[in-house]
């Protein structure tokens, strides 16, 4: 009797375990099937988007009407965004595919920046048409390679889960049709030289990342260390490490790390080889109880900039984070703010020392020979271009960099709509609304809920 009961319990246990295992297997298969379906959808969508993209670029080349060109270029931009999104949904994290993604980004940037400008006043140049021809050919190359992969996937019923498994296990070197196909796509794109895109496209890609406007002699490593100690207020008893960077680029800089042997305090700085300008620096230390107001800290930041030779600056934004104050300054020339020339200073509110500084934007944009265009519109005419519900509180003239990466003179209006504050820039020449920025509201403080 007892033996029969034990056998019955064991049988129920085995049956229960088998059923649980069966359910787990079903759920696992359902998850894998869902993932496989998503991968297949993203891949076939990518192939389809590349077909559309190639055709749309070709259609754009055949157009002559400026009225049709802008919507067509916007459609090119949309298709590249969708193709980029499809690539991101494929299990290619461990497979180098950055060149193809970069290629899609370049097409998107070119088409967007061309579409948003007034093509009636500034039609496509011969160089831009040449760039479109190059993009048309190269997108066709990628289209053909992806179609080959798609044909093999459909013909042999290949699974993307096998790709993910191969990449995760490091076995992508073995024969895998999908991986091999995508490597071929990447190799095809890698063969495109930057100059293949034409001079117009190259100009769109380059801000002054090389600090070309900096003037002065090239400093030595010893001089760089001296400058770093001066900025970071470190005495002679310090351990210094220097790394020389910039090889292969048009400019060079030193990366300097300093540690005070007595206090253990550390600091880091990047400094240009030409003229020895700090690109940024940070003093790593704990900031204790606040003793200075934000206004007092602002005076410390302004004095620091003046002491180090930065002139004609105006504070335009200040923020407090815990016990530090962060201050943003811009150049002010003939009562016009030059927003591209921006500097950031971080001040410790316990003793007023400078613990952070960034001049990268300033160094890239600084231009003593800048010619600021004269406004065509009056202040009143520019005001008429803003939203009628916008209540203007302040106004000034300012230079900003627009979506076409061009410096433009604007009227800057600060004001409110309802409870929200905005900064609006209206082009002082043609009245275009160049930028609308919503300013941050004060963070709401929530009482602790018990």
């Amino acid at each position: 009797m007892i033996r029969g009961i034990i056998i019955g319990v064991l049988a129920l246990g085995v049956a229960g375990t088998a059923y649980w295992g069966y359910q787990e297997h079903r759920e696992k298969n359902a998850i894998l099937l869902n993932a496989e379906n998503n991968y297949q959808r993203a891949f076939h969508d990518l192939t389809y988007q590349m077909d559309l993209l190639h055709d749309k670029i070709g259609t754009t080349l055949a157009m002559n009407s400026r009225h049709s060109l802008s919507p067509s270029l916007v459609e090119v931009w949309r298709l590249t965004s969708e193709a980029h999104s499809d690539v991101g949904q494929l299990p290619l994290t461990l497979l180098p595919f950055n060149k193809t993604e970069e290629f899609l980004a370049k097409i998107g940037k070119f088409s967007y920046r061309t579409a948003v400008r007034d093509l009636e006043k500034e039609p496509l140049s011969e160089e831009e048409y040449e760039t479109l021809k190059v993009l048309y050919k190269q997108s066709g190359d990628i289209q053909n390679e992806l179609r080959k992969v798609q044909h093999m996937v459909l013909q042999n019923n290949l699974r993307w889960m096998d790709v993910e498994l191969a990449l995760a296990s490091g076995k992508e070197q073995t024969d895998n049709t999908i991986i091999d196909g995508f490597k071929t796509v990447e190799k095809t794109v890698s063969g495109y030289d930057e100059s293949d895109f034409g001079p117009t496209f190259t100009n769109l890609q380059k801000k002054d990342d090389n600090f070309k406007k900096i003037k002065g002699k090239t400093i030595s490593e010893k001089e760089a260390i001296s400058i770093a100690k001066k900025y970071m207020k470190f005495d002679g008893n310090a351990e210094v490490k220097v790394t020389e960077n910039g090889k292969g680029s048009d400019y060079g800089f030193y990366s300097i790390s300093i540690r005070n042997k007595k206090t253990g305090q550390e600091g880091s700085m990047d400094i240009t080889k030409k003229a020895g300008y700090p690109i940024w620096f940070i003093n790593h230390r704990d900031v204790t109880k606040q003793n200075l107001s934000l206004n007092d800290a602002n005076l410390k930041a302004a004095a620091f900039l003046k002491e180090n030779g930065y002139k004609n600056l105006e504070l335009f934004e200040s923020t407090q984070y815990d016990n530090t104050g962060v201050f943003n300054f811009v150049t002010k020339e003939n009562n016009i703010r030059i927003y591209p020339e921006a500097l950031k200073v971080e001040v410790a509110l316990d003793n007023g020392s400078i613990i952070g500084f960034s001049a990268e934007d300033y160094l890239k944009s600084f231009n003593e020979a800048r010619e600021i265009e004269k406004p065509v519109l009056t202040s009143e005419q520019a005001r008429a271009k803003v939203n009628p519900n916008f209540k203007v509180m302040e106004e000034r003239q300012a230079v900003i960099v627009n979506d076409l990466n061009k410096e433009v003179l604007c009227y800057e209006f600060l004001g409110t709509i309802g409870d929200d504050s905005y900064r609006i820039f209206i082009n002082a020449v043609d009245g275009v609304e160049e930028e609308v920025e919503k300013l941050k509201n004060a963070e709401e403080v929530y009482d602790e809920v018990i």
Side-chain angles (χ1 to χ4, degrees):
M1 179 74 177
I2 294 174
R3 184 184 176 194
I5 293 172
I6 292 173
I7 291 172
V9 170
L10 290 173
L12 284 173
V14 170
T17 302
Y19 180 74
W20 175 80
Y22 172 71
Q23 286 293 100
E24 285 287 302
H25 180 70
R26 279 187 59 188
E27 289 177 9
K28 181 181 178 181
N29 281 345
I31 292 171
L32 293 176
L33 181 61
N34 183 57
E36 178 64 29
N37 289 339
N38 284 332
Y39 290 151
Q40 292 285 356
R41 176 195 53 75
F43 170 64
H44 292 296
D45 279 354
L46 171 63
T47 307
Y48 177 62
Q49 298 297 347
M50 286 305 303
D51 286 344
L52 294 180
L53 179 61
H54 179 64
D55 290 344
K56 182 55 67 175
I57 295 175
T59 303
T60 305
L61 279 170
M63 288 179 177
N64 188 43
S65 166
R66 311 300 177 202
H67 181 73
S68 303
L69 264 175
S70 285
S72 184
L73 287 166
V74 168
E75 183 67 7
V76 170
W77 172 69
R78 183 187 69 79
L79 290 169
T80 57
S81 298
E82 291 190 4
H84 208 279
S85 174
D86 290 330
V87 171
Q89 295 176 55
L90 293 173
L92 302 174
T93 309
L94 302 176
L95 177 68
F97 207 61
N98 55 305
K99 291 292 183 182
T100 305
E101 293 182 277
E102 187 179 316
F103 174 78
L104 291 171
K106 285 177 178 178
I107 297 179
K109 184 175 288 187
F110 173 81
S111 57
Y112 174 76
R113 288 184 169 177
T114 309
V116 296
R117 79 173 188 238
D118 188 343
L119 292 174
E120 289 291 343
K121 294 181 179 178
E122 195 178 349
L124 288 181
S125 65
E126 287 300 320
E127 291 175 339
E128 287 170 325
Y129 271 112
E130 287 301 316
T131 298
L132 276 174
K133 287 179 183 178
V134 172
L135 295 177
Y136 179 64
K137 178 187 178 301
Q138 294 178 346
S139 63
D141 294 340
I142 296 175
Q143 175 194 38
N144 290 334
E145 294 298 339
L146 283 174
R147 279 184 172 180
K148 289 178 186 176
V149 179
Q150 185 181 46
H151 173 72
M152 296 299 294
V153 168
L154 294 173
Q155 186 181 50
N156 301 318
N157 197 25
L158 301 176
R159 298 194 320 155
W160 276 92
M161 291 305 297
D162 294 334
V163 174
E164 185 172 42
L165 184 62
L167 291 172
S169 62
K171 295 179 180 178
E172 68 271 20
Q173 300 299 329
T174 59
D175 184 26
N176 186 299
T177 303
I178 296 178
I179 292 177
D180 293 343
F182 270 79
K183 283 183 176 179
T184 302
V185 173
E186 181 73 354
K187 185 177 180 180
T188 300
V189 179
S190 298
Y192 302 150
D193 189 78
E194 188 72 43
S195 61
D196 291 344
F197 293 95
T200 303
F201 190 87
T202 304
N203 289 340
L204 284 177
Q205 295 300 308
K206 290 185 178 179
K207 293 168 70 177
D208 184 19
D209 290 333
N210 297 323
F211 306 144
K212 291 177 182 175
K213 298 183 180 72
I214 294 177
K215 296 179 180 179
K217 71 178 184 69
T218 300
I219 64 169
S220 66
E221 184 176 305
K222 185 177 180 181
E223 288 172 312
I225 294 171
S226 177
I227 292 170
K229 287 183 176 180
K230 172 196 165 190
Y231 269 90
M232 294 188 280
K233 306 293 185 185
F234 274 62
D235 59 26
N237 186 27
E239 180 183 333
V240 182
K241 293 181 181 178
V242 182
T243 305
E244 189 173 340
N245 294 319
K247 291 182 179 178
S249 65
D250 292 337
Y251 76 99
F253 61 91
Y254 296 104
S255 287
I256 301 174
S257 177
I258 302 179
R259 180 178 177 275
N260 189 311
K261 292 181 179 179
K262 278 187 178 180
T263 63
Q265 183 182 339
E266 296 181 355
S268 305
M269 172 184 276
D270 276 1
I271 183 169
T272 62
K273 287 183 180 178
K274 189 193 289 185
Y277 285 107
I279 301 170
W280 61 266
F281 79 75
I282 297 175
N283 271 336
H284 306 281
R285 74 170 182 84
D286 293 329
V287 181
T288 56
K289 183 180 177 182
Q290 179 177 347
N291 296 313
L292 276 74
S293 68
L294 204 59
N295 183 60
D296 290 336
N298 168 38
L299 297 176
K300 297 278 188 183
F304 164 81
L305 292 173
K306 185 176 180 181
E307 176 188 335
N308 288 288
Y310 297 96
K311 302 176 182 177
N312 304 321
L313 299 174
E314 180 175 73
L315 177 73
F316 82 93
E317 189 176 56
S318 62
T319 313
Q320 181 171 343
Y321 298 98
D322 295 327
N323 294 328
T324 64
V326 178
F327 304 91
N328 291 298
F329 293 83
V330 294
T331 297
K332 189 173 183 180
E333 185 178 322
N334 297 324
N335 230 24
I336 300 172
R337 283 185 177 177
I338 314 296
Y339 278 107
E341 293 184 10
L343 293 157
K344 185 176 290 186
V345 183
E346 186 174 3
V347 181
L349 298 180
D350 55 356
N351 62 7
S353 64
I354 309 300
I355 58 173
F357 174 67
S358 175
E360 184 171 359
D361 291 337
Y362 182 90
L363 294 174
K364 287 178 180 178
S365 302
F366 181 72
N367 185 2
E368 289 181 327
R370 177 184 283 107
E371 294 183 6
I372 301 175
E373 55 192 338
K374 299 293 182 183
V376 174
L377 303 182
T378 64
S379 172
E380 290 73 20
Q381 289 171 324
R383 276 197 188 214
K385 303 288 184 180
V386 303
N387 188 315
N389 297 316
F390 182 72
K391 184 179 179 182
V392 177
M393 310 296 289
E394 292 181 36
E395 71 171 80
R396 63 178 60 86
Q397 289 183 18
V399 171
I400 66 169
V401 176
N402 67 7
D403 285 337
L404 300 176
N405 201 30
K406 293 182 178 178
E407 288 192 0
V408 290
L409 177 66
C410 294
Y411 286 100
E412 175 189 354
F413 298 105
L414 270 71
T416 58
I417 297 179
D419 296 329
D420 293 315
S421 300
Y422 297 86
R423 180 184 281 120
I424 299 176
F425 294 93
I426 303 295
N427 192 302
V429 174
D430 57 20
V432 169
E433 191 175 63
E434 294 284 0
E435 186 177 332
V436 176
E437 177 188 356
K438 184 179 181 296
L439 303 181
K440 292 180 182 179
N441 296 327
E443 293 287 338
E444 187 171 349
V445 178
Y446 297 94
D447 293 330
E448 186 178 350
V449 179
I450 300 176

